[in-house]
Amino acid sequence: MEDEEGPDCGKADFVLLDQVTMEDFMENLKLRFEKGRIYTYIGEVLVSVNPYQELPLYGPEAIARYQGRELYERPPHLYAVANAAYRAMKRRSRDTCIVISGESGAGKTEASKHIMQYIAAVTNPSQRAEVERVKDVLLKSTCVLEAFGNARTNRNHNSSRFGKYMDINFDFKGDPVGGHIHSYLLEKSRVLKQHVGERNFHAFYQLLRGSEDEMLRELHLQRNPALYNFTRQGAGLSALETDEKSHHQAVTEAMRVIGFSPEEVGSVHRILAAILHLGNIEFVETEEDTLEQGSLAVTEEVLVDHVAELTATPRELVLRCLLARTVASGGREVIEKGHTAAEASYARDACAKAVYQRLFEWVVDRINGVMEPRGRDPRRDGKDTVIGVLDIYGFEVFPVNSFEQFCINYCNEKLQQLFIQLILKQEQEEYEREGITWQSVSARAHPTRLWAVRERAGKQTCGGRPGRAGAQQGRCGRGWLAGLGSCLLALPQVEYFNNATIVELVERPHRGILAVLDEACSTAGPITDRIFLQTLDTHHRHHPHYTSRQLCPTDKTMEFGRDFRIKHYAGDVTYSVEGFIDKNRDSLFQDFKRLLYNSTDPTLKAMWPDGQQDITEVTKRPLTAGTLFKNSMVALVENLASKEPFYIRCIKPNEDKVAARLDEGHCRHQVAYLGLLENVRVRRAGFASRQPYPRFLLRYKMTCEYTWPNHLLGSDKAAVGALLEQHGLQGDVAFGHSKLFIRSPQTLVTLEQGRARLIPIIVLLLQKAWRGTLARRRCRRLRAIYTIMRWFRRHKVRAHLAELQRQFQAARQPPLYGRDLVWPPPPAVLQPFQDTCHALFCRWRARQLVKNIPPSDMAQIKAKVAAMGALQELRQDWGCRRAWARDYLSSATDNPTASGLFAQRLKILREKDGFGTVLFSSHVRKVNRFNKRRDRALLLTDRHLYKLEPARQYRVMRAVPLDTVTGLSVTSGRDQLVVLHARGQDDLVVCLHRSQPPLDNRVGELVGVLAAHCQGEGRALEVRVSDCIPLSQRGARRLVSVELRPEQPEPDFRCSRGTFTLLWPSS
Ligand SMILES: Nc1ncnc2c1ncn2[C@@H]1O[C@H](COP(=O)(O)OP(=O)(O)O)[C@@H](O)[C@H]1O
Ligand SMILES: [Mg+2]
């Protein structure tokens, strides 16, 4: 901040002034103003001087510079206060409020707009649509409210003629989720009449000058404001027509954005037009006394037509309401009473005012309806926090001051009272409560940081001098800084003017001005303003802040019987009692309410719900305007007091609204009545921050090893002491009974920075712990899942095994040995196990079956198994069901004629070749490569394959060692064709002879016997099944196939074109 705020710009905080005097204060204010520094702090209070010119202080760049900064890091600015309020709300989840005060034209409304802009700019980084909508409405609402609630006055060209308090609701993330506007006491008398140099509300001029010709025609209006009584006064003061036009467009656009429907906007325009027409209606007393209208008539009846049309009400009723009123005359009777011209004008004015007021309130309600936080559930979303922004009319003094000024100034008294309570009184009381005084410890140590705790001494001393410190304030302040010696200095009791007594004067029950006024209003009979004044005089004769001409006859500035004067905290104001009673009573004839309630325009009707009541219904007297205002002020003050306040004190530099001119006298007055000097004094005697020890620890304990995560010291106070000592900050604080007082904001900033450095680490730690917790939780859950799975699997396995056991109980029963048992489907995990079991079972079952086979059958069985392996499913019939006799040539049944011869031949061969067993023997029909077909015999021993000649005692024609036989080829049919392949030999093509039984199928037997033998020898035998068998004979390739011939008596071969065909007698 030092870089941007050099010494030539004065002190950025009045607290840093060398001396606290009005002269020094004004000098600093002026110096800064001249250097374009319109903002200056008093601690956390911001003093703002209206520059009356555009300064390059605002906008996105400036906002970025203040965002997230501490108050003291940057030059004083509205943004810094907005940021502080926002951060306080976010950090501590506390509601905060920003109270903007100052007189009319001091820049309050502008300040509030900058604050809103700041808040809108720094929130909702995630661009949530709902939040954007709320922000849009918040920003746009200002424009609409200004059109209807602001007017040009002598003091401010855009003066707010109503008080505004706006709450902005934030969610836990700090994004605005809604808002609410309270409006206070619209100065509705402005609708009728304005002071010289002033105007009516902007809306009227915007309508007249800004709307299209077409629309004006529809509203029966002409563009010239001078044509209407209500706008005539300010007609010459209007801004440029083009300005008015663009404002009108901006307002209409803003209304559209906010959510006003086109019909509603149309109604608003019609209501404004109706008010203008109403203002032009005048009455004349006529001679003839017609039955309905008495002797009164409207001069320009067409105006009545316009009003009726624009308000969507029947013309006759409008006229009747203007000229007469109905009164209940006891019971259900009503009578109509004609007005005099004066009464009629009064009623017309009351109606115009009320219609405008209701219109304004309706606009506010409508905006509130749109801004209301939607779909918020505190259990889900957390509690909303609120920032309130109060921009309320400043203190006002006019040449003639009436009831409105009285209310406005009363409001300012209330706010000053709140300020006193919060800033001045509370501060001092708290020091007292906490037992804090200050004393200098050493002149050299820290001249501005000399704080220690001391028992609060009843006697206060200032510079060692006895007497009331306050009386000597100026010197006391000076002495405090200049003469810091070794003497003890007590906390200077800052003297300030407590305006509680003025507030009392206004609002006290029974005797207060408002109470007396209410009394006068409720009394029947002609109580005049003058009698009201007399009552005031008697009640407040001795009040130091009240006077009147009666009580002070020499004061010629007041008129006898008309004026009274209140010495406000901000200065004396003389009020004229004229119209007080009337304005307080604020009566509007019931006829108008009923008329407008029965309008067919739904928007207008909605503004008059009280028009529903029947005239004969006895109604309670409505609360007076004064009482309503007082109640709303009490509620407002209560609301503000419950929030953490931030103050902006606005100062108007000159009365002429010119840039770069600071009228010293004018400002001095404002500085005085705003109590800024006292504020500085209290602040200098005070502390920037105070926090209860536990809260302080909670926030900063991570910055010190003794306090993190929890301290072991005797008390929180001691722990705080240790923490501060570690940081070397103990010199800048004081220890109260329950709170720590921190003198300078820099200390707080140091602590905050230390904290901010550590937060990411702590966040990491918490994240780590939490992630660990989550992971452990997940792990536990997974473990549980696996345990359950394990047990479930185990259960399934057991159940399966039990089922298997149950089913296979009968498996040992011969002869099937469990052949037909169905294996239950196993759990997946048991599939391999079950496959193994199944294989084992099959082997076991085979064993059981084989066990019972006699040894003599074993060779046959082995041969059959081998044949099955080679031929199953490849050949239709391989003679499995027969008993395989093998040596058919030795069998007397099979070879009755020559079995003996064969036996002899066998004997010879056995002796010669020494074979062990005969594997197979049979007669065959063969064909050779010369196509010669012959009957031969085939003998297969364990050594050789012999081809024998049956016709010559089975002489050996060819002997092939069996180990050269490499394979066999057979067909898939029933025929007995066999081709034997041997290494280095021609393939031998034969057809096994059938004999007994006919067509006995021996191919399978030959294949099985030979395959089993080869298996036993551990070599492979190739068995091919094909219906077209290739042959190789002396290098020539041939084919042999089978042809079925039913008429063929015996199987035989045929040869044609190098291809052999076995002609097979098919059955
Ligand atoms: N910060 C500012 N910068 C420039 N002009 C300002 C500033 N504050 C106020 N003004 C000028 O002063 C006028 C009155 O300010 P306004 O906020 O309406 O006063 P108040 O609400 O206190 O009556 C504004 O219309 C504007 O011209
Ligand atoms: Mg204003």
Side-chain angles (χ1 to χ4, degrees):
M1 178 166 117
E2 276 69 28
D3 318 338
E4 298 157 81
E5 290 278 330
D8 52 334
C9 298
K11 303 268 194 308
D13 192 330
F14 285 112
V15 173
L16 304 175
L17 284 180
D18 292 337
Q19 302 175 16
V20 190
T21 60
M22 183 56 96
E23 283 66 38
D24 289 316
F25 192 100
M26 285 310 301
E27 196 182 313
N28 193 45
L29 191 73
K30 197 160 181 187
L31 178 63
R32 288 183 65 73
F33 185 71
E34 281 160 5
K35 302 276 180 192
R37 307 287 195 272
I38 57 168
Y39 299 119
T40 315
Y41 289 130
I42 304 176
E44 282 173 5
V45 173
L46 183 76
V47 178
S48 152
V49 186
N50 185 349
Y52 278 122
Q53 60 181 322
E54 296 302 323
L55 294 179
L57 293 174
Y58 314 100
E61 273 173 33
I63 289 175
R65 276 172 12 96
Y66 281 87
Q67 185 172 2
R69 299 287 172 169
E70 295 295 334
L71 202 63
Y72 280 81
E73 283 182 77
R74 296 268 183 258
H77 202 294
L78 280 171
Y79 292 162
V81 178
N83 183 48
Y86 180 65
R87 277 161 72 96
M89 176 210 71
K90 243 177 115 168
R91 259 185 209 159
R92 301 198 282 278
S93 294
R94 276 211 53 185
D95 292 349
T96 56
C97 64
I98 302 175
V99 180
I100 312 172
S101 52
E103 62 184 65
S104 180
K108 300 181 296 293
T109 306
E110 292 294 319
S112 79
K113 285 192 241 174
H114 289 306
I115 288 169
M116 306 290 261
Q117 259 146 14
Y118 180 84
I119 289 175
V122 301
T123 52
N124 197 27
S126 54
Q127 298 278 309
R128 276 157 55 215
E130 170 64 10
V131 177
E132 282 301 306
R133 186 189 70 85
V134 169
K135 285 195 332 193
D136 241 22
V137 177
L138 278 175
L139 293 178
K140 293 280 187 224
S141 65
T142 321
C143 163
V144 177
L145 289 180
E146 283 195 359
F148 291 94
N150 285 25
R152 174 179 170 146
T153 67
N154 286 319
R155 321 186 106 223
N156 180 359
H157 287 178
N158 183 30
S159 178
S160 320
R161 305 319 297 162
F162 67 105
K164 181 169 115 181
Y165 173 73
M166 179 185 258
D167 266 333
I168 311 170
N169 295 56
F170 293 86
D171 64 6
F172 74 97
K173 291 207 300 300
D175 288 335
V177 289
H180 190 92
I181 298 169
H182 297 264
S183 68
Y184 297 97
L185 193 74
L186 178 75
E187 188 201 35
K188 58 182 172 179
S189 60
R190 181 167 295 272
V191 174
L192 311 181
K193 218 168 110 201
Q194 306 89 36
H195 292 287
V196 177
E198 302 201 345
R199 295 206 315 174
N200 208 326
F201 293 99
H202 296 325
F204 290 110
Y205 304 93
Q206 288 172 1
L207 179 73
L208 289 174
R209 292 223 165 93
S211 39
E212 304 294 328
D213 294 336
E214 168 76 28
M215 190 165 99
L216 280 187
R217 241 192 325 280
E218 278 172 23
L219 299 175
H220 308 292
L221 290 176
Q222 293 180 43
R223 208 170 277 292
N224 185 2
L227 297 177
Y228 302 96
N229 285 337
F230 288 167
T231 48
R232 183 169 301 137
Q233 158 65 42
L237 301 166
S238 297
L240 294 173
E241 194 160 308
T242 49
D243 269 4
E244 220 82 78
K245 192 161 189 130
S246 68
H247 285 154
H248 181 69
Q249 277 162 1
V251 172
T252 316
E253 170 62 12
M255 288 175 90
R256 191 189 63 73
V257 171
I258 290 170
F260 286 83
S261 67
E263 293 77 35
E264 286 172 330
V265 176
S267 295
V268 169
H269 290 154
R270 282 195 295 280
I271 293 169
L272 288 174
I275 293 172
L276 288 175
H277 289 304
L278 202 59
N280 280 5
I281 292 179
E282 269 161 28
F283 305 96
V284 279
E285 311 215 348
T286 52
E287 290 304 310
E288 76 262 37
D289 191 347
T290 61
L291 193 61
E292 311 110 53
Q293 295 171 4
S295 57
L296 201 64
V298 170
T299 47
E300 253 186 290
E301 293 232 342
V302 63
L303 292 174
V304 179
D305 296 343
H306 294 337
V307 171
E309 182 193 326
L310 293 168
T311 56
T313 49
R315 180 189 184 280
E316 296 70 43
L317 282 184
V318 175
L319 193 60
R320 194 183 296 168
C321 288
L322 286 170
L323 299 180
R325 67 189 156 119
T326 38
V327 276
S329 65
R332 313 229 102 237
E333 291 283 299
V334 288
I335 53 166
E336 190 155 294
K337 189 162 176 291
H339 285 317
T340 63
E343 281 171 341
S345 303
Y346 175 84
R348 173 202 64 204
D349 289 351
C351 176
K353 279 194 295 185
V355 169
Y356 192 79
Q357 184 184 22
R358 300 265 173 134
L359 172 66
F360 180 75
E361 284 167 0
W362 176 83
V363 169
V364 173
D365 282 348
R366 190 71 185 69
I367 295 174
N368 281 338
V370 176
M371 280 202 301
E372 196 174 352
R374 288 185 192 161
R376 309 283 301 157
D377 178 357
R379 274 175 308 175
R380 188 191 60 208
D381 307 317
K383 187 180 146 303
D384 285 356
T385 39
V386 166
I387 294 185
V389 181
L390 179 71
D391 163 23
I392 208 158
Y393 12 62
F395 186 74
E396 275 184 358
V397 198
F398 291 135
V400 180
N401 301 293
S402 182
F403 182 70
E404 287 83 6
Q405 279 67 46
F406 175 75
C407 288
I408 288 173
N409 292 340
Y410 158 65
C411 159
N412 281 279
E413 292 283 355
K414 284 290 278 186
L415 291 176
Q416 175 69 5
Q417 184 56 175
L418 179 75
F419 180 76
I420 287 173
Q421 275 176 3
L422 292 179
I423 301 283
L424 305 178
K425 194 148 145 260
Q426 262 180 19
E427 183 113 347
Q428 293 195 359
E429 281 173 2
E430 183 161 68
Y431 296 156
E432 237 167 273
R433 212 172 32 247
E434 289 283 330
I436 302 245
T437 60
W438 72 285
Q439 76 187 149
S440 70
V441 178
S442 148
R444 279 173 302 279
H446 273 296
T448 53
R449 298 179 177 179
L450 302 171
W451 297 91
V453 187
R454 214 189 62 178
E455 289 287 297
R456 169 102 182 128
K459 24 188 183 354
Q460 300 240 327
T461 52
C462 177
R465 226 183 275 194
R468 271 191 66 81
Q472 314 245 347
Q473 189 46 57
R475 282 220 246 153
C476 198
R478 224 168 297 146
W480 169 49
L481 275 173
L484 284 167
S486 55
C487 59
L488 278 180
L489 291 173
L491 177 75
Q493 182 76 44
V494 176
E495 186 122 298
Y496 54 85
F497 168 62
N498 190 343
N499 69 338
T501 164
I502 307 174
V503 175
E504 276 271 285
L505 171 68
V506 178
E507 66 175 22
R508 193 173 148 195
H510 309 305
R511 292 170 66 90
I513 298 176
L514 284 174
V516 173
L517 185 58
D518 276 1
E519 179 70 29
C521 290
S522 63
T523 314
I527 291 274
T528 59
D529 293 329
R530 190 178 263 262
I531 299 175
F532 159 62
L533 182 59
Q534 281 165 8
T535 323
L536 282 186
D537 285 346
T538 28
H539 280 321
H540 302 296
R541 182 171 297 277
H542 301 298
H543 198 287
H545 294 275
Y546 175 89
T547 180
S548 69
R549 184 72 188 270
Q550 169 99 24
L551 302 177
C552 183
T554 51
D555 189 344
K556 300 232 163 54
T557 54
M558 288 182 284
E559 196 162 303
F560 192 80
R562 193 195 75 182
D563 296 344
F564 70 92
R565 179 176 298 157
I566 296 180
K567 288 184 186 201
H568 284 289
Y569 78 99
D572 295 357
V573 182
T574 308
Y575 298 98
S576 154
V577 291
E578 272 172 17
F580 257 61
I581 290 181
D582 201 47
K583 284 175 176 168
N584 190 42
R585 201 181 268 147
D586 191 24
S587 53
L588 174 69
F589 294 130
Q590 188 73 24
D591 304 63
F592 281 114
K593 297 183 184 170
R594 270 200 306 280
L595 174 77
L596 295 169
Y597 172 74
N598 288 316
S599 161
T600 51
D601 178 343
T603 308
L604 183 60
K605 183 185 174 84
M607 297 176 196
W608 295 91
D610 48 349
Q612 209 175 356
Q613 281 176 338
D614 193 78
I615 181 76
T616 52
E617 278 177 46
V618 183
T619 53
K620 251 181 42 190
R621 189 190 296 279
L623 288 179
T624 59
T627 303
L628 283 173
F629 186 69
K630 185 183 88 178
N631 293 347
S632 67
M633 280 302 119
V634 171
L636 173 68
V637 167
E638 248 170 42
N639 183 4
L640 293 177
S642 72
K643 298 187 162 72
E644 193 169 319
F646 290 82
Y647 275 96
I648 295 168
R649 310 291 256 171
C650 297
I651 291 178
K652 190 176 180 182
N654 58 67
E655 272 299 339
D656 307 323
K657 309 184 244 323
V658 292
R661 200 184 86 206
L662 191 131
D663 290 348
E664 211 168 320
H666 192 66
C667 292
R668 193 185 283 259
H669 177 62
Q670 294 172 67
V671 170
Y673 79 68
L674 286 172
L676 298 185
L677 275 182
E678 289 88 336
N679 196 178
V680 178
R681 289 193 185 116
V682 170
R683 189 73 207 179
R684 280 168 68 127
F687 298 84
S689 161
R690 65 224 57 192
Q691 297 184 29
Y693 295 118
R695 204 169 82 198
F696 180 88
L697 271 183
L698 216 55
R699 189 154 184 87
Y700 302 112
K701 62 181 181 174
M702 68 291 288
T703 63
C704 169
E705 62 202 284
Y706 301 117
T707 49
W708 178 256
N710 290 305
H711 70 83
L712 298 169
L713 293 151
S715 65
D716 283 353
K717 190 171 173 177
V720 169
L723 190 154
L724 290 166
E725 211 152 297
Q726 180 163 345
H727 290 291
L729 297 172
Q730 69 276 24
D732 195 40
V733 300
F735 294 88
H737 295 316
S738 65
K739 285 182 182 171
L740 176 75
F741 290 76
I742 300 171
R743 164 103 182 110
S744 59
Q746 280 80 357
T747 298
L748 214 55
V749 172
T750 312
L751 287 167
E752 279 293 331
Q753 282 168 347
R755 180 178 185 272
R757 264 196 306 279
L758 289 167
I759 284 293
I761 301 170
I762 294 174
V763 168
L764 271 185
L765 182 81
L766 291 177
Q767 282 181 341
K768 202 168 77 183
W770 179 237
R771 288 207 178 112
T773 305
L774 289 182
R776 273 189 290 279
R777 199 182 281 172
R778 191 174 133 74
C779 180
R780 267 202 303 279
R781 211 175 279 165
L782 278 180
R783 271 202 199 128
I785 290 170
Y786 280 119
T787 307
I788 292 170
M789 275 164 55
R790 207 165 52 240
W791 282 97
F792 181 65
R793 258 194 219 137
R794 204 176 279 185
H795 157 79
K796 281 188 71 168
V797 167
R798 281 185 181 194
H800 179 70
L801 292 181
E803 175 65 14
L804 272 186
Q805 215 173 15
R806 194 183 62 74
Q807 289 215 4
F808 280 78
Q809 220 118 57
R812 286 179 192 282
Q813 296 297 322
L816 294 180
Y817 293 105
R819 188 191 71 185
D820 299 332
L821 285 179
V822 182
W823 287 68
V829 65
L830 279 189
Q831 189 66 54
F833 170 76
Q834 179 134 321
D835 292 346
T836 313
C837 280
H838 194 253
L840 280 174
F841 172 76
C842 290
R843 294 178 76 154
W844 170 83
R845 204 171 143 260
R847 172 90 191 114
Q848 298 309 310
L849 296 174
V850 168
K851 211 164 60 182
N852 297 331
I853 299 172
S856 57
D857 285 357
M858 272 319 281
Q860 184 186 169
I861 293 283
K862 279 187 181 161
K864 280 188 174 171
V865 168
M868 183 171 76
L871 302 176
Q872 178 89 318
E873 294 185 355
L874 295 176
R875 192 176 155 90
Q876 286 174 12
D877 178 15
W878 45 279
C880 169
R881 300 203 175 275
R882 285 176 38 241
W884 288 359
R886 297 178 169 224
D887 191 2
Y888 292 100
L889 295 183
S890 301
S891 152
T893 45
D894 214 68
N895 190 12
T897 54
S899 59
L901 287 176
F902 181 72
Q904 282 173 16
R905 179 60 61 192
L906 264 188
K907 195 169 165 230
I908 296 166
L909 284 177
R910 182 168 284 145
E911 280 163 10
K912 184 173 151 252
D913 294 338
F915 66 85
T917 51
V918 173
L919 297 180
F920 185 79
S921 69
S922 170
H923 284 118
V924 297
R925 178 85 173 165
K926 73 144 229 190
V927 64
N928 69 6
R929 61 195 162 101
F930 308 110
N931 305 334
K932 296 260 174 52
R933 294 153 356 237
R934 297 281 186 275
D935 283 328
R936 292 285 183 264
L938 191 69
L939 169 63
L940 210 63
T941 68
D942 54 0
R943 288 285 177 84
H944 290 90
L945 167 69
Y946 300 97
K947 188 168 77 178
L948 309 175
E949 165 72 287
R952 298 192 188 168
Q953 293 90 38
Y954 295 101
R955 193 167 62 92
V956 174
M957 295 189 70
R958 196 163 129 200
V960 179
L962 196 60
D963 50 9
T964 62
V965 175
T966 56
L968 284 170
S969 293
V970 298
T971 67
S972 61
R974 290 174 189 277
D975 59 90
Q976 297 294 296
L977 179 69
V978 176
V979 179
L980 288 146
H981 310 283
R983 220 177 304 122
Q985 305 277 336
D986 283 351
D987 289 339
L988 181 60
V989 184
V990 296
C991 173
L992 302 183
H993 254 307
R994 67 176 173 148
S995 63
Q996 290 298 321
L999 292 177
D1000 199 3
N1001 198 335
R1002 289 181 187 164
V1003 166
E1005 185 173 354
L1006 174 60
V1007 170
V1009 166
L1010 200 55
H1013 176 78
C1014 290
Q1015 232 169 37
E1017 289 193 338
R1019 68 186 175 91
L1021 180 77
E1022 196 183 350
V1023 179
R1024 261 184 260 138
V1025 181
S1026 164
D1027 289 334
C1028 191
I1029 301 168
L1031 309 172
S1032 155
Q1033 283 175 333
R1034 299 288 153 107
R1037 302 220 148 258
R1038 299 186 132 169
L1039 292 171
V1040 56
S1041 56
V1042 177
E1043 187 180 319
L1044 298 180
R1045 282 257 179 115
E1047 71 279 13
Q1048 180 82 13
E1050 291 260 313
D1052 202 355
F1053 288 98
R1054 191 186 65 197
C1055 183
S1056 68
R1057 279 185 247 121
T1059 303
F1060 297 119
T1061 308
L1062 173 65
L1063 305 172
W1064 181 255
S1066 76
S1067 54

